[in-house]
Amino acid sequence: MIEFPSAQKDRFRDLIEGLNIITYEFDLSENRYIYVSRMAESILGYSYNSWFTIGFWYDHLHPDDRMWASEFGRYHTKQHKAHEYEYRMIASDGSVKWLKDIATVNLKNGEPECLQGVLIDMTQRKQTEFELMQNKEMYKTLVEQQSEMITRWRPDGTFTYVNDVYCRFFEKDKRELIGKTYIPQMPPDDLDRFTAFFKQLTKDKPVGTFVHRVILPDGEIRWLKWTDKALFDDSGEIVEYQTVGRDITVQKRAEIALMESEKQLQLIFDNAPIGMALTDFENNYIKVNKAYCEIVGYTKEELMTMTFEEISHPEDKKLDEEITAKAKLGHVTNFNFEKRYIHKNGSTVLTELHLNVLKNNTGSPHQIIAQVVDITKRKESEHILKQTQARLSAILNNLLIVTIYEYGEDINFVSENILDILGYSSDEFMNNKDLFSNLMLKEDIIKYDRRVDEWKKNGSAGVLSNEIRVRNRKDEIVWLEDHMFEVKPENGKTYFSGIMIDITQQKKTKQKIHDTETKFAAVLKNLPKVVVYQSGEGRDFVSENIAEMIGYQPGDIISEKYFFGKIMHPDDLVNVKSSLQNWHKVNEEGIQIMEFRLEKKSGGYVWIEDHMFKVKADDGQEYLSGVLIDVTERKLYEQKISQSLKEKELLLKEIHHRVKNNLQVVSSLLKLQSGYVSDSHTLDILTDSQNRVKSMALVHQKLYQSKDYSKIDFSEYLKQLSVHLLNSFRTTSNSVELNVSSDNVFLSIDLAIPCGLIINELISNSLKYAFPVERKGIINVGVNSFNNNEYHITVQDNGIGFPKDINYRDTKSLGLQLVNTLVGQIDGTISMDNHVGTSFKIGFSSKENSKLN
């Protein structure tokens, strides 16, 4: 595009403004002029600003030209073609103005954006043409200048006159036509109508109009409209026909396109999944679709004899009247609100209405189209959900050291017992989203934010656990253990939920232990078989009694880097390096205890127990410190260690017992809630959740009942879990036989819980989907051990088989998502065979577990 200097632009604009034409730019998306020259005001008489209102062009078209002119313009715009046409517009004084519109289409990204063109006042010309038609002397000249085709011909088909327009249209010379016969090529049915039309012209009715198609030499089909007049002699015989015709192809195509559009709109209306109704302002139904009839229970025929007031809830009729009154004024054209209908069976139907006011050609409101959605079940579910939330909140608020939270784009919740933990109410946290961050210690915020960002980048998989420090209202530091996870509802936006547990007391206890051990190390400094050391930040130190332990002097050890690594037994070196790497990964938290053998200077090995920990000095520097203990004769400590183990076992047993009880409470709550749910889908979700909680609770129950608190008898656990699931699905499992076969396998809690959940999901899937309509079947569950640390879990049924069009590794099913996640958690593998029924096989290994014979 050429850019002109500003002064040149002004001269060009002045030149345009001085012409007796209207230059314009029309925005297609906004349906209005965005520029017209000043001549627009003088030609039609409307104010300059009124031209920029939406719909100005269409609203001021002559009624007879409005339909075809708008379709003509729309058709050529869609074809990206420049076009020109003549039409009439109504001036401000009511007079009719003829305008010639020459328009070009401007594109943006390949699509029409706006029209640019000129409007030429043709009124005077049209008046002149009309006067010329009245003047017989100028008849021939007028005829030749017309855009219409004009002919005269005798009854035998011989032309006596054709004008230039006719010749150009059919690509003929006058010499080829005058004095000769010529019938354009037409479709057969149009040719028959052509012959019949002229036979019906009589002296009493000599004039008629005929529309037909012609086939041009290039094969294009065009539509022509003729006004034909028969001329008679004194005896009443037809001596000649005079015809005037014009090409109406564009108009005809626009009409056909309009008819197709109306058919499509009617099809969309009739088959819309939501209720739709068209009414007038007397509340009468004009049109309704099938979905609307299903919502209110009446047939279309019945509704056509009724008003919507007759089926409206009495308490909503006043609202209907208010909205109808506003709609009649036309100031507001869209309304959204909830309304109740009285169903034909007498029940109340809750709906959500979206009303649009339709205007007639004069711009006055005359009809209303309503989109109606039945929200009865949604409202009932919302009511049940509120009751459930109220009950759960009451329970959660009585757990003094546990608080629950949820946050997301459309959700913000903190349980009320946060007040007991931090001294701030739940409302304070929900009204101030930054309050919790402001209470966290700065060094914890950085670490916490980094871990959350990494977790979200990895897809927010699993549960993210953190320990953080927060200041309560009394400015005291409170330790919280945070367990956060992502929730992805089927019909809603993703949000985050979590549990925070007050672990301040545990932390204080741990700190006291740490302080005691530090003091104890100072006491042991001068004991013969205990060596104290420090390393890092220029604080390298080894107590002198190291010489009595291994024969080397402190100076020998400090002067040489990695001295202990060189005299460490080769079999112990790998384990020590691995332990140190793992300790560094957790930022050297707690005390790192390692056992290894050191070769003495005189030969032979001594067993060392190394207690290593990080010390943070008052100046902020950190260094390593520790105690090396000669444990070659550790029998002296066996009694103390045995007593300590008993205390820890007792504490561990109590923890498993309490966890089991808490999970049992959650399971009972889910079971209680199931009694209030009528929706089968929601009931299935609650049952599945109850079974998952039960499977975890059973692990903790087996642990606190076991003599070895680190492992459970998985075969016994599996039998109890299977019995529970059969009872849980007793309405569908009466004809199903469940067989359990397991080696004598003991698993740690880290494996028992995910394995229990995996088996729970696979047995539940078989019970729910493998045996429809009381079909009999068998489910076989097996756990086998190989090579002491390899395990296979098999869940097999002889049911209808897993759907072949569903990928079990990538499915929306929460159960199968959970199975795949848990298999990954235990570093296992999963495979499926559905040739006969469905068989899932999970393989995993553990160095800590073995088969007991």
Side-chain angles (χ1 to χ4, degrees):
M1 181 180 291
I2 300 175
E3 293 290 332
F4 294 97
S6 177
Q8 189 172 353
K9 284 185 177 179
D10 293 339
R11 288 195 299 274
F12 183 77
R13 176 62 59 86
D14 292 340
L15 176 63
I16 292 296
E17 295 289 348
L19 296 176
N20 190 28
I21 62 176
I22 302 171
T23 59
Y24 70 86
E25 186 171 357
F26 189 89
D27 191 306
L28 295 170
S29 63
E30 296 182 4
N31 191 30
R32 69 181 186 90
Y33 291 100
I34 57 176
Y35 166 75
V36 293
S37 60
R38 288 291 178 179
M39 192 57 66
E41 196 168 18
S42 62
I43 291 179
L44 287 182
Y46 296 105
S47 68
Y48 183 75
N49 290 331
S50 65
W51 281 74
F52 302 112
T53 57
I54 296 174
F56 176 87
W57 178 77
Y58 183 87
D59 293 339
H60 293 85
L61 281 173
H62 191 283
D64 293 342
D65 295 344
R66 188 171 290 157
M67 180 65 73
W68 76 264
S70 60
E71 289 298 329
F72 179 89
R74 186 180 298 112
Y75 173 80
H76 284 80
T77 299
K78 288 182 178 179
Q79 300 297 318
H80 302 175
K81 292 182 179 179
H83 50 280
E84 63 177 78
Y85 52 126
E86 297 176 1
Y87 50 79
R88 292 165 289 180
M89 294 190 74
I90 307 300
S92 62
D93 60 2
S95 62
V96 176
K97 295 286 186 180
W98 276 92
L99 298 176
K100 184 171 185 176
D101 192 345
I102 304 173
T104 60
V105 182
N106 285 350
L107 305 178
K108 182 177 182 181
N109 298 325
E111 293 297 326
E113 181 186 28
C114 68
L115 299 176
Q116 291 180 333
V118 296
L119 297 174
I120 304 174
D121 187 356
M122 304 288 290
T123 307
Q124 188 62 42
R125 174 185 163 183
K126 288 294 183 180
Q127 291 174 348
T128 301
E129 289 174 354
F130 179 78
E131 292 172 0
L132 288 174
M133 290 179 66
Q134 308 302 314
N135 191 335
K136 292 183 179 180
E137 294 180 359
M138 301 181 67
Y139 172 77
K140 184 175 181 179
T141 303
L142 174 65
V143 166
E144 294 299 336
Q145 291 179 348
Q146 289 298 305
S147 59
E148 287 83 1
M149 295 175 281
I150 301 175
T151 68
R152 291 173 70 104
W153 46 280
R154 298 190 185 98
D156 62 359
T158 303
F159 281 108
T160 60
Y161 173 80
V162 294
N163 69 349
D164 292 338
V165 177
Y166 186 90
C167 294
R168 286 195 299 270
F169 185 85
F170 288 104
E171 299 181 0
K172 297 287 185 179
D173 188 89
K174 285 186 178 182
R175 290 172 294 183
E176 297 180 72
L177 298 173
I178 296 177
K180 301 176 183 178
T181 60
Y182 171 70
I183 299 177
Q185 184 178 357
M186 288 184 276
D189 53 340
D190 286 18
L191 186 60
D192 293 341
R193 290 191 302 105
F194 178 84
T195 303
F197 169 76
F198 284 99
K199 288 182 179 180
Q200 69 183 12
L201 296 179
T202 64
K203 193 170 185 179
D204 295 331
K205 189 179 178 182
V207 179
T209 301
F210 180 69
V211 176
H212 68 91
R213 295 164 291 175
V214 295
I215 303 174
L216 298 182
D218 61 1
E220 181 185 5
I221 297 177
R222 307 289 294 184
W223 286 86
L224 301 180
K225 182 177 181 180
W226 296 92
T227 300
D228 302 303
K229 182 177 181 179
L231 303 177
F232 296 86
D233 59 13
D234 295 338
S235 63
E237 294 294 328
I238 296 176
V239 295
E240 202 170 30
Y241 293 100
Q242 179 176 292
T243 64
V244 178
R246 61 189 178 94
D247 184 352
I248 61 168
T249 304
V250 173
Q251 178 182 345
K252 201 69 177 176
R253 288 173 178 172
E255 291 174 357
I256 293 172
L258 180 61
M259 291 175 61
E260 290 297 323
S261 177
E262 290 177 347
K263 288 180 180 179
Q264 291 177 358
L265 289 174
Q266 184 63 45
L267 186 64
I268 293 172
F269 181 92
D270 291 338
N271 296 284
I274 62 173
M276 299 186 72
L278 184 66
T279 63
D280 58 24
F281 282 102
E282 281 70 47
N283 303 339
N284 297 309
Y285 287 105
I286 299 173
K287 187 185 296 184
V288 294
N289 69 351
K290 180 181 178 182
Y292 186 89
C293 295
E294 292 174 349
I295 291 173
V296 298
Y298 292 90
T299 65
K300 290 184 180 180
E301 292 74 17
E302 290 173 326
L303 291 173
M304 290 302 104
T305 63
M306 304 169 66
T307 65
F308 67 75
E309 185 180 14
E310 295 178 54
I311 62 173
S312 296
H313 194 282
E315 296 178 4
D316 291 345
K317 290 183 178 180
K318 184 177 180 181
L319 175 62
D320 287 340
E321 293 172 359
E322 293 175 353
I323 291 177
T324 301
K326 291 180 180 178
K328 283 183 178 179
L329 296 175
H331 301 311
V332 182
T333 58
N334 295 286
F335 300 89
N336 297 307
F337 59 98
E338 292 183 0
K339 173 182 174 171
R340 291 166 292 181
Y341 285 104
I342 303 301
H343 194 275
K344 186 176 182 180
N345 62 15
S347 62
T348 300
V349 181
L350 296 170
T351 65
E352 184 176 311
L353 261 69
H354 303 273
L355 302 185
N356 292 90
V357 180
L358 305 180
K359 296 183 178 181
N360 57 20
N361 294 337
T362 64
S364 300
H366 75 122
Q367 290 177 346
I368 296 176
I369 186 167
Q371 300 177 52
V372 186
V373 180
D374 186 348
I375 60 172
T376 306
K377 291 184 178 179
R378 189 188 83 189
K379 286 292 185 180
E380 291 173 352
S381 298
E382 288 175 355
H383 178 68
I384 294 173
L385 181 60
K386 287 180 180 179
Q387 290 180 328
T388 302
Q389 289 176 336
R391 285 192 291 269
L392 289 175
S393 295
I395 294 169
L396 293 173
N397 291 333
N398 288 305
L399 298 175
L400 299 181
I401 64 169
V402 178
T403 188
I404 302 222
Y405 64 87
E406 295 176 342
Y407 74 91
E409 186 176 341
D410 297 328
I411 190 168
N412 181 22
F413 168 76
V414 181
S415 59
E416 294 179 2
N417 51 358
I418 191 69
L419 179 65
D420 299 318
I421 298 174
L422 295 179
Y424 294 91
S425 67
S426 58
D427 289 337
E428 289 179 279
F429 283 102
M430 288 188 285
N431 294 331
N432 182 2
K433 294 183 179 180
D434 297 326
L435 177 58
F436 192 83
S437 296
N438 295 335
L439 296 176
M440 286 179 65
L441 271 63
K442 290 184 179 180
E443 52 267 35
D444 287 6
I445 290 177
I446 297 173
K447 186 187 304 182
Y448 177 82
D449 288 345
R450 183 175 66 250
R451 293 202 66 204
V452 171
D453 289 342
E454 291 176 356
W455 179 62
K456 289 182 178 180
K457 286 179 182 178
N458 294 326
S460 306
V463 177
L464 177 65
S465 298
N466 287 289
E467 288 186 358
I468 53 179
R469 292 169 293 174
V470 181
R471 294 190 182 276
N472 63 16
R473 192 178 286 274
K474 296 179 181 179
D475 204 33
E476 300 169 336
I477 293 179
V478 177
W479 278 90
L480 296 176
E481 186 177 271
D482 178 31
H483 302 277
M484 180 170 62
F485 52 92
E486 186 178 36
V487 181
K488 297 180 179 179
E490 290 185 4
N491 298 314
K493 296 181 179 179
T494 298
Y495 63 92
F496 297 94
S497 183
I499 299 174
M500 286 187 178
I501 305 171
D502 183 354
I503 59 170
T504 307
Q505 193 59 44
Q506 293 95 310
K507 281 293 181 179
K508 288 180 178 179
T509 302
K510 186 176 180 180
Q511 185 62 41
K512 288 180 181 180
I513 294 172
H514 180 270
D515 294 342
T516 301
E517 290 178 344
T518 303
K519 293 176 183 179
F520 186 61
V523 173
L524 293 176
K525 181 176 181 180
N526 296 310
L527 295 180
K529 291 193 176 183
V530 177
V531 173
V532 178
Y533 67 89
Q534 292 179 179
S535 176
E537 300 296 337
R539 301 174 185 267
D540 294 343
F541 165 79
V542 180
S543 59
E544 294 182 0
N545 55 354
I546 188 68
E548 298 178 19
M549 185 180 290
I550 60 175
Y552 293 96
Q553 296 298 322
D556 299 332
I557 298 170
I558 295 173
S559 62
E560 187 173 352
K561 197 174 184 180
Y562 307 124
F563 180 84
F564 285 139
K566 294 180 179 180
I567 64 172
M568 190 176 294
H569 194 287
D571 294 343
D572 299 336
L573 188 59
V574 175
N575 292 334
V576 170
K577 287 183 177 180
S578 177
S579 297
L580 289 174
Q581 288 175 354
N582 293 332
W583 192 49
H584 292 321
K585 288 180 181 178
V586 296
N587 299 319
E588 295 88 24
E589 293 181 358
I591 300 173
Q592 178 68 9
I593 301 175
M594 300 175 289
E595 289 186 355
F596 49 83
R597 287 163 289 181
L598 295 179
E599 185 177 9
K600 296 190 293 184
K601 191 173 184 178
S602 60
Y605 286 89
V606 59
W607 272 99
I608 302 296
E609 183 176 277
D610 183 5
H611 294 253
M612 182 186 300
F613 53 89
K614 181 189 287 186
V615 178
K616 187 172 184 180
D618 294 337
D619 58 4
Q621 292 183 336
E622 296 179 346
Y623 61 92
L624 297 178
S625 184
V627 178
L628 300 177
I629 305 173
D630 181 351
V631 293
T632 309
E633 299 179 4
R634 64 186 309 161
K635 288 186 178 181
L636 296 174
Y637 299 94
E638 286 180 355
Q639 185 177 358
K640 181 179 179 180
I641 293 172
S642 177
Q643 183 63 31
S644 176
L645 286 175
K646 289 181 181 179
E647 293 173 355
K648 290 179 180 178
E649 288 174 354
L650 183 61
L651 178 60
L652 186 59
K653 179 176 182 179
E654 181 62 19
I655 290 173
H656 285 304
H657 194 180
R658 292 193 179 188
V659 171
K660 176 259 179 183
N661 288 343
N662 287 339
L663 290 174
Q664 189 63 47
V665 169
V666 175
S667 177
S668 299
L669 287 174
L670 292 172
K671 183 175 182 181
L672 179 62
Q673 182 57 47
S674 301
Y676 293 88
V677 176
S678 58
D679 178 38
S680 61
H681 179 65
T682 304
L683 184 59
D684 287 344
I685 292 174
L686 290 174
T687 301
D688 290 344
S689 298
Q690 183 183 351
N691 289 336
R692 291 165 188 152
V693 172
K694 180 66 177 179
S695 71
M696 292 187 289
L698 191 55
V699 171
H700 288 281
Q701 178 181 332
K702 300 300 291 182
L703 280 171
Y704 83 76
Q705 291 175 346
S706 173
K707 292 181 180 180
D708 183 358
Y709 301 120
S710 64
K711 302 174 183 177
I712 69 167
D713 184 348
F714 197 72
S715 58
E716 184 64 23
Y717 162 85
L718 186 56
K719 294 175 183 177
Q720 293 187 24
L721 177 63
S722 301
V723 171
H724 165 73
L725 289 175
L726 276 177
N727 291 334
S728 177
F729 293 90
R730 58 183 178 276
T731 57
T732 58
S733 63
N734 293 335
S735 57
V736 177
E737 179 182 351
L738 179 56
N739 299 322
V740 177
S741 174
S742 173
D743 291 342
N744 195 14
V745 173
F746 284 74
L747 296 180
S748 67
I749 186 173
D750 291 335
L751 288 175
I753 287 180
C755 288
L757 285 171
I758 290 170
I759 294 173
N760 173 79
E761 294 301 325
L762 296 179
I763 293 177
S764 298
N765 272 356
S766 294
L767 289 172
K768 288 194 294 185
Y769 306 115
F771 309 106
V773 195
E774 296 298 322
R775 173 172 173 167
K776 293 184 178 181
I778 299 174
I779 300 174
N780 294 318
V781 182
V783 179
N784 302 104
S785 173
F786 304 91
N787 301 327
N788 271 353
N789 64 348
E790 293 183 3
Y791 302 90
H792 285 172
I793 295 175
T794 305
V795 179
Q796 179 183 26
D797 65 62
N798 62 349
I800 61 174
F802 196 88
K804 295 184 179 180
D805 58 342
I806 296 178
N807 182 0
Y808 75 94
R809 295 182 184 273
D810 184 16
T811 175
K812 294 182 179 179
S813 167
L814 176 60
L816 288 177
Q817 288 179 8
L818 183 59
V819 169
N820 284 290
T821 299
L822 292 172
V823 170
Q825 180 179 317
I826 62 176
D827 295 327
T829 61
I830 182 171
S831 61
M832 184 191 75
D833 182 2
N834 63 347
H835 293 298
V836 179
T838 302
S839 176
F840 281 94
K841 181 176 286 186
I842 294 92
F844 63 96
S845 62
S846 171
K847 295 181 179 179
E848 298 179 354
N849 295 283
S850 63
K851 178 179 176 181
L852 302 180
N853 296 316

